[in-house]
Amino acid sequence: MRLYLHGHDYKYAAEQMMLSLYPAERPEYPDGRPEGDRVELRLSHGTSFITASCKLVSNGSVYHGRSAVSADSITDDISRDKLCSRIIKNAFYRAVLNSGHAKPAWGALTGVRPGKLFCQLMESSDSDTALRRFITEYDVSIERAELCRDTSLVTSRVRESLGEKDVCLYVGIPFCPTRCSYCSFVSQSVEKSMKLIPPFLDALMQELDAAAEAVNKLGLSVISLYMGGGTPTTLSPEQLDMLCSRLEDRFDLSRLREYTVEAGRPDTVTEAKLRVMKSHGVDRVSVNPQTMCDGVLEAIGRRHSARDIYDALEKVRSVGGMAVNMDLIAGLPTDTVEGFADTLEKVTALKPENITVHTLSLKKGSRITLEGSALPAPAEVGRMLDIAGDKLRNNGYFPYYLYRQKFMSGGFENVGWAKEGFINLYNICIMEELCSIIALGGGGSTKLVNRDGGRSIRLFAPKYPAEYIAGIEKTCGDKQSIISFYKDKEIE
């Protein structure tokens, strides 16, 4: 899509709205006089108002949109960029809607964390007033706005429960039995990389020690431990035991409020592994079907059946002492509204404590994207999500965290649903950036969060197991930045 910017250089704002409304398009910035199908975004500064206008030319027809903000509301460069970006997006959005484009469920919102914006609105008003503003100012549908309000209220309660030195610990195990067709996570199929697991674990122990040294020196409190991937239960019982023991030995886990391990692939779940996990205090596991339809499982490259999900869950319940999360994905290849509703019926009948409903996100590196797989239409995906919301509320679940991703089918969202008393603290903290996340493992992304609103810092480990092993000295050295970050905060 040709984009022409006049009087400003807010490319990011323009591209965000373009991707939200036209996910298949990519931005072009031609030189010369505007021509052909295009979007012209103009920003003008007056005495009283700053005004953004959009001219959309599509198939020879011209559509206009406009948005403005009071010049008095600009107090510094940060507020200028924030407000100018917003009115540029709004002008673009209004021109597109004037062209007859269907209204997105999330209206003019483009960000991945709508709850963050809603929480900001609640800082100056009650939740009902914030809801009305959210709908009016961003043109969000009532259903999505209410969903955002409900999860934001949970976020606010969690924020109030956190101390200044509370952190979450993430351990990433980037191995899976096979690679799913929708997957964009950093993971290696153990069919091809089994020999890398032992040296990967050796490297992980080194990073674990480096992180623990920093955390202990600063007196930080680990309140949530989350082992993800990949699929951590790809490891053997002995390897899991060794890893969990090292975590207990190096970190003070006396303040731990939850301990999650993803056992997402049922073909990796054994009673021996579950008993190891329970013996180390794991109190939550994810057994993720994604779908209970064997045909869809085959289409996405999973080598297990729906029957295996029942068997895995039976093992978890027989060992006992662990809450269960089950992930579902709306919009998978070959799935239908009826098929998704059937999956939902079967999963709710199993009564897991958590159910997370994802919307398929079309990532560049996934096989679905590369092969151009046939997918349910956005309207069908929306129907799937509506059915999920109604079904889950009627079965005693409430939404507790929400986030969006780029390239999501229909521009929808991912939502975590929980029974009373079973929210997952880690999911809320990472999605709403409530505290620092200390990440270990291949592709681990540590985010050091300044809760006072100052600059946060990110530290990235190499993505793939071989690269992670080769670069472990630098990754360990980077953990010293944790100490610098918190000491700088104390000085301020």
Side-chain angles (χ1 to χ4, degrees), residues 139-156:
D139 205 24
V140 179
S141 72
I142 294 174
E143 295 79 10
R144 260 62 195 181
E146 290 177 341
L147 196 60
C148 197
R149 175 200 58 194
D150 293 347
T151 55
S152 296
L153 288 169
V154 178
T155 296
S156 296

Side-chain angles (χ1 to χ4, degrees), residues 46-327:
T47 304
S48 301
F49 293 95
I50 299 175
T51 303
S53 60
C54 176
K55 178 182 179 181
L56 168 67
V57 181
S58 177
N59 296 321
S61 298
V62 179
Y63 309 94
H64 295 279
R66 182 179 177 279
S67 183
V69 65
S70 170
D72 293 338
S73 60
I74 306 295
T75 57
D76 54 27
D77 289 343
I78 294 176
S79 65
R80 178 185 299 277
D81 287 343
K82 180 179 179 181
L83 292 172
C84 286
S85 293
R86 178 176 161 188
I87 61 173
I88 286 167
K89 290 180 185 179
N90 284 345
F92 193 163
Y93 173 79
R94 290 167 184 171
V96 172
L97 258 62
N98 286 336
S99 74
H101 192 287
K103 176 183 171 181
W106 285 98
L109 282 181
T110 59
V112 299
R113 296 184 178 90
K116 210 164 189 181
L117 178 58
F118 200 101
C119 284
Q120 290 172 2
L121 294 176
M122 288 198 299
E123 290 176 2
S124 57
S125 62
D126 59 71
S127 61
D128 289 339
T129 302
L131 180 71
R132 289 191 292 272
R133 287 186 59 190
F134 196 66
I135 293 170
T136 301
E137 295 179 18
Y138 298 98
D139 205 24
V140 179
S141 72
I142 294 174
E143 295 79 10
R144 260 62 195 181
E146 290 177 341
L147 196 60
C148 197
R149 175 200 58 194
D150 293 347
T151 55
S152 296
L153 288 169
V154 178
T155 296
S156 296
R157 291 195 295 271
V158 169
R159 180 186 289 110
E160 292 170 1
S161 76
L162 297 176
E164 285 296 322
K165 290 196 171 184
D166 287 349
V167 298
C168 296
L169 184 63
Y170 176 84
V171 183
I173 308 298
F175 297 93
C176 277
T178 58
R179 188 177 178 88
C180 297
S181 64
Y182 58 80
C183 183
S184 63
F185 282 101
V186 179
S187 62
Q188 292 283 114
S189 164
V190 293
E191 296 173 314
K192 300 178 180 179
S193 57
M194 180 69 78
K195 64 182 180 181
L196 290 177
I197 292 181
F200 169 82
L201 289 174
D202 289 341
L204 177 59
M205 295 305 107
Q206 296 177 52
E207 186 187 8
L208 189 157
D209 289 349
E213 181 182 0
V215 167
N216 295 335
K217 185 173 184 178
L218 293 163
L220 302 179
S221 297
V222 179
I223 58 168
S224 175
L225 204 166
Y226 194 106
M227 195 178 297
T231 306
T233 44
T234 300
L235 302 181
S236 69
E238 295 75 20
Q239 290 167 334
L240 278 170
D241 185 50
M242 181 268 293
L243 174 55
C244 292
S245 296
R246 188 69 157 254
L247 288 164
E248 291 171 356
D249 183 57
R250 296 296 191 267
F251 290 94
D252 178 4
L253 301 181
S254 62
R255 298 181 181 84
L256 203 63
R257 292 161 60 177
E258 62 180 26
Y259 193 160
T260 300
V261 173
E262 288 187 355
R265 298 287 285 267
D267 41 339
T268 68
V269 178
T270 67
E271 285 196 22
K273 294 177 187 180
L274 292 168
R275 293 191 186 283
V276 166
M277 289 153 52
K278 183 180 178 181
S279 72
H280 288 285
V282 174
D283 56 12
R284 182 177 183 271
V285 295
S286 286
V287 180
N288 300 331
Q290 317 302 5
T291 174
M292 296 295 279
C293 175
D294 286 343
V296 180
L297 286 170
E298 183 178 357
I300 64 176
R302 289 211 163 198
R303 293 185 181 174
H304 66 81
S305 67
R307 178 68 255 172
D308 294 326
I309 296 292
Y310 290 105
D311 293 342
L313 192 60
E314 185 177 338
K315 292 171 187 174
V316 174
R317 296 305 193 197
S318 68
V319 170
M322 291 176 280
V324 172
N325 172 73
M326 301 182 79
D327 281 4

Side-chain angles (χ1 to χ4, degrees), residues 345-360:
E345 187 72 32
K346 291 174 179 175
V347 168
T348 53
L350 294 171
K351 299 183 179 179
E353 287 75 11
N354 296 102
I355 297 177
T356 306
V357 181
H358 296 271
T359 300
L360 181 67

